[in-house]
Amino acid sequence: MPNRSVAFSGKKKKKQLQAKREKKQTVLCEGRGFPRSQNSKAPVVSEAILAKVQEGIDNPASESANYLEDILTINQQPGGRGNVNRYNLKFRKQTPEEIEKRKALHYAPIKLLGEEELELETEFFFPPGLDYPMRPEWKKNMSKQELDRNENKHFRLFCEKLDKDFADKDLSLYELNLETWRQLWRVTEMSDILLIIVDARFPVSQFPPYLYYRLVEEANKGIILVLNKCDLIPPSVIVAWEHYFHNKFPKLLVVPFSSMEGYGHRRGMLRMAAEGSLRLVDACEKLIHGSVDLTSWKEKIEEERNIDNEMNQECEAEEVSDIVINTRPEHHERYKDGVLTIGTIGYPNVGKSSLINALMGKKVVSVSRTPGHTKHFQTIFLTQNVKLCDCPGLVFPSTVSMHLQVLFGSFPIAQVRDPIGAVNYVAARLDIPSILKLQHSEVQNETASDTSWTAFYICEAWAMKRGYYTRRKGAPDVSRSANEILRLCLNGHKSLVLFIRPPSYTQNKGDYENDPRAEEIRQIQGVHAAVHEPSVEFPNHACR
């Protein structure tokens, strides 16, 4: 006889829904970010919640879930076992006023900026006085509750002070998830050498000077700046950036790197990025002064270098399991047991996971274009005595504009509420109509008095060229078109590569092009360098 289903009363259903709401409130209110009002940049936290922070936030579920209603959580996952959203990126939501201000640029005539106006330095994005939240002082005999209370309070006060000190400037949407900062603290504590990975197209917008002074000058850590995705820009620009960083930060070592060097000629093939890896080993040897023998690492690179491309592993190779490491503070012993520990730090979507795969010559960590894909740091052994730690992407406090954050991938394009405004930012720096061979929609209208390009017209023309129309009215789908143009820029489409230059680059361009280092960088870029091969065909990118 089949089992009969058990009756589920309305009272039980009510209790079930209440339990789900309480669980959701617990996830949202664990003190990992602070909301901001629409009319002020200062965090908005009720007196009751401030009292909870002072006391330790022992029971955040008892507070209202509206506490974090002004916080935007990226890639929010419903339900699931445990706290699946623990390490999600968290930013403050844009106010309606900010969005409307950007929308005003949709129909403004576009004026192209000169090449010299694209020459920028670190102070443009990181003015004096900016900093990142450091781990507060701690003692070994602290309980977990005391440590959590201390770190929550410290982080809240940091956010309040930062917004107050820079109330007259437009701060970027920096990370508001305390759990992610805890990951950074632990990685910096346990690492002997730190790789600061930046997108070679926008290096000074992703390299905080205060990170250099904190880690190098104060903590005496070795730091290597990795200019990833260097295959997307001319070698002369890479040479210029090397000169700039060496002069600006004397103790900083700079290594150009191309993760795409590790991809074979057929899509899905993966091999080691040998040229960049060898230069990375050389930089590490300069910092450790023989404390660890890196011969086995070099031998592995040379061995992988000689393997035929057809023998390389597929991009779908099985990935290793995440190793969740306790983020509580610990005292680090340098080169413990003869092992060199290398930590990676960088913004979301700069290619940290791709770089690790290219160093290994096989897929060991998953790769995604979605910002914040790596949830918590993982440890991977390159060799028996070289350990690599992959830290989640972090958006540091800066004055980087929202549009630039979208273009280098720290904010997902799918969640941009004003993609046409971001296209306006690109169009002022790249001649999009000429590159994409667009035809102005008003050209055929003989009565049109003004045929100058605007961001809206560019999106409309691209939509018509690609055949994107709305279902209801049959009008050009400008939103889909704008999103696609932004993705072309983000993914490094051969014809839409936006990049900034170091100061005085235009004036000294000839010297940088003739520099001997330019030829070495071409070897690192390999056959995948596309900076001199303009194309207007729609790309079909492999994973980067």
Side-chain angles (χ1 to χ4, degrees):
M1 184 176 180
N3 295 329
R4 298 180 60 183
S5 59
V6 180
F8 196 72
S9 66
K11 187 176 181 180
K12 288 184 179 180
K13 182 66 175 177
K14 185 177 180 180
K15 287 183 178 180
Q16 185 189 61
L17 293 174
Q18 184 178 0
K20 285 184 178 180
R21 283 194 295 268
E22 289 178 354
K23 183 178 179 180
K24 184 177 180 181
Q25 289 173 1
T26 303
V27 172
L28 291 174
C29 301
E30 285 185 336
R32 302 187 189 99
F34 300 96
R36 303 158 193 266
S37 68
Q38 294 183 350
N39 299 323
S40 172
K41 293 183 180 181
V44 177
V45 185
S46 69
E47 293 297 329
I49 293 177
L50 288 179
K52 283 289 183 183
V53 173
Q54 301 286 348
E55 297 169 6
I57 317 183
D58 296 326
N59 185 21
S62 62
E63 299 293 341
S64 170
N66 292 333
Y67 157 54
L68 291 178
E69 63 181 359
D70 288 336
I71 293 295
L72 175 64
T73 302
I74 306 298
N75 304 327
Q76 181 82 14
Q77 299 294 321
R81 290 187 177 182
N83 193 347
V84 294
N85 297 302
R86 183 177 184 183
Y87 300 106
N88 285 8
L89 295 170
K90 293 181 185 291
F91 302 125
R92 72 171 177 87
K93 288 182 180 178
Q94 298 177 75
T95 65
E97 291 79 7
E98 291 174 331
I99 296 172
E100 288 301 321
K101 183 178 179 180
R102 292 191 178 104
K103 285 184 177 180
L105 299 174
H106 290 191
Y107 301 97
I110 293 172
K111 182 180 178 181
L112 273 173
L113 299 177
E115 189 172 4
E116 292 183 353
E117 295 179 87
L118 297 178
E119 296 177 359
L120 303 171
E121 53 183 334
T122 53
E123 287 77 11
F124 183 83
F125 301 105
F126 299 95
L130 270 181
D131 205 346
Y132 74 102
M134 300 286 292
R135 191 194 289 275
E137 294 183 3
W138 57 279
K139 299 178 182 178
K140 280 190 174 181
N141 58 355
M142 275 186 170
S143 66
K144 186 178 185 301
Q145 291 74 19
E146 289 174 330
L147 187 63
D148 287 346
R149 175 169 64 247
N150 191 29
E151 291 179 350
N152 273 281
K153 179 181 177 181
H154 178 78
F155 184 62
R156 173 181 62 84
L157 294 176
F158 170 83
C159 292
E160 289 180 345
K161 185 178 185 302
L162 185 65
D163 290 324
K164 181 180 179 181
D165 293 346
F166 290 87
D168 58 336
K169 294 187 178 181
D170 292 329
L171 284 176
S172 63
L173 300 180
Y174 62 91
E175 180 62 77
L176 293 174
N177 191 335
L178 177 57
E179 286 296 333
T180 310
W181 289 110
R182 283 171 170 157
Q183 300 278 311
L184 173 70
W185 297 340
R186 188 68 191 99
V187 167
T188 55
E189 289 168 353
M190 69 182 292
S191 300
D192 304 310
I193 293 176
L194 289 160
L195 306 182
I196 311 296
I197 304 170
V198 298
D199 190 324
R201 295 171 294 178
F202 316 102
V204 288
S205 67
Q206 297 178 345
F207 180 70
Y210 48 74
L211 194 64
Y212 170 84
Y213 294 117
R214 290 283 191 185
L215 298 179
V216 176
E217 304 292 348
E218 297 180 11
N220 196 27
K221 297 279 186 178
I223 284 189
I224 300 173
L225 180 66
V226 179
L227 300 178
N228 199 19
K229 306 181 183 180
C230 72
D231 55 292
L232 296 177
I233 60 177
S236 58
V237 179
I238 299 292
V239 173
W241 280 124
E242 287 183 338
H243 283 283
Y244 173 81
F245 284 111
H246 287 161
N247 294 331
K248 191 84 173 178
F249 309 99
K251 297 181 181 179
L252 183 70
L253 299 181
V254 182
V255 174
F257 197 93
S258 173
S259 300
M260 292 301 288
E261 180 196 349
Y263 286 87
H265 297 289
R266 293 192 297 111
R267 183 180 180 183
M269 301 305 294
L270 186 64
R271 60 185 173 88
M272 178 176 286
E275 295 294 337
S277 299
L278 284 173
R279 284 163 175 77
L280 192 58
V281 176
D282 292 339
C284 290
E285 287 183 327
K286 291 179 182 178
L287 293 173
I288 62 177
H289 305 293
S291 299
V292 178
D293 186 8
L294 301 183
T295 304
S296 59
W297 190 4
K298 282 189 173 182
E299 290 176 350
K300 178 182 178 181
I301 295 172
E302 293 294 346
E303 181 182 349
E304 292 279 347
R305 199 181 205 175
N306 298 325
I307 295 178
D308 185 13
N309 287 347
E310 296 301 322
M311 301 295 294
N312 294 328
Q313 299 195 25
E314 293 287 334
C315 197
E316 290 77 16
E318 182 181 358
E319 63 185 62
V320 297
S321 301
D322 294 341
I323 303 176
V324 184
I325 301 177
N326 183 14
T327 57
R328 296 195 63 176
E330 295 179 10
H331 291 293
H332 173 59
E333 180 182 342
R334 185 167 292 187
Y335 313 126
K336 185 178 180 180
D337 300 325
V339 175
L340 172 65
T341 303
I342 303 175
T344 63
I345 301 175
Y347 277 63
N349 219 33
V350 295
K352 295 186 297 298
S353 299
S354 296
L355 179 140
I356 293 174
N357 291 337
L359 288 176
M360 291 291 292
K362 59 183 178 181
K363 185 176 181 181
V364 292
V365 289
S366 61
V367 177
S368 173
R369 291 176 185 156
T370 303
H373 177 70
T374 303
K375 298 303 182 185
H376 48 76
F377 68 83
Q378 310 156 84
T379 57
I380 299 133
F381 278 86
L382 295 176
T383 63
Q384 289 185 347
N385 62 348
V386 179
K387 180 172 65 175
L388 204 60
C389 297
D390 183 23
C391 181
L394 255 173
V395 182
F396 290 84
S398 69
T399 57
V400 174
S401 68
M402 170 68 177
H403 293 152
L404 188 55
Q405 283 187 272
V406 172
L407 292 176
F408 61 58
S410 70
F411 192 92
I413 293 174
Q415 298 198 31
V416 177
R417 298 177 63 183
D418 176 32
I420 301 178
V423 171
N424 178 82
Y425 182 91
V426 180
R429 292 156 179 81
L430 290 176
D431 190 0
I432 297 180
S434 297
I435 294 172
L436 299 182
K437 298 181 180 179
L438 302 179
Q439 184 176 2
H440 202 294
S441 60
E442 298 294 329
V443 169
Q444 297 177 353
N445 186 356
E446 297 179 356
T447 61
S449 58
D450 184 12
T451 57
S452 59
W453 285 101
T454 67
F456 182 86
Y457 283 141
I458 287 174
C459 296
E460 183 183 51
W462 183 244
M464 295 171 66
K465 184 172 183 176
R466 297 286 295 160
Y468 300 151
Y469 294 93
T470 59
R471 286 187 177 183
R472 178 172 294 184
K473 296 184 178 180
D477 193 341
V478 292
S479 295
R480 180 181 177 183
S481 171
N483 274 271
E484 188 167 274
I485 291 174
L486 294 178
R487 293 186 192 282
L488 293 178
C489 295
L490 171 64
N491 298 331
H493 185 349
K494 297 178 183 179
S495 59
L496 280 179
V497 180
L498 176 64
F499 59 93
I500 57 179
R501 291 85 163 157
S504 304
Y505 170 77
T506 306
Q507 181 181 353
N508 303 313
K509 186 175 181 179
D511 295 336
Y512 294 132
E513 290 176 340
N514 297 324
D515 193 291
R517 276 286 295 155
E519 183 57 36
E520 296 180 29
I521 292 169
R522 288 189 185 94
Q523 294 178 9
I524 298 174
Q525 292 177 334
V527 297
H528 300 280
V531 294
H532 300 303
E533 303 174 12
S535 171
V536 296
E537 295 182 1
F538 190 67
N540 186 15
H541 292 280
C543 55
R544 171 179 281 275

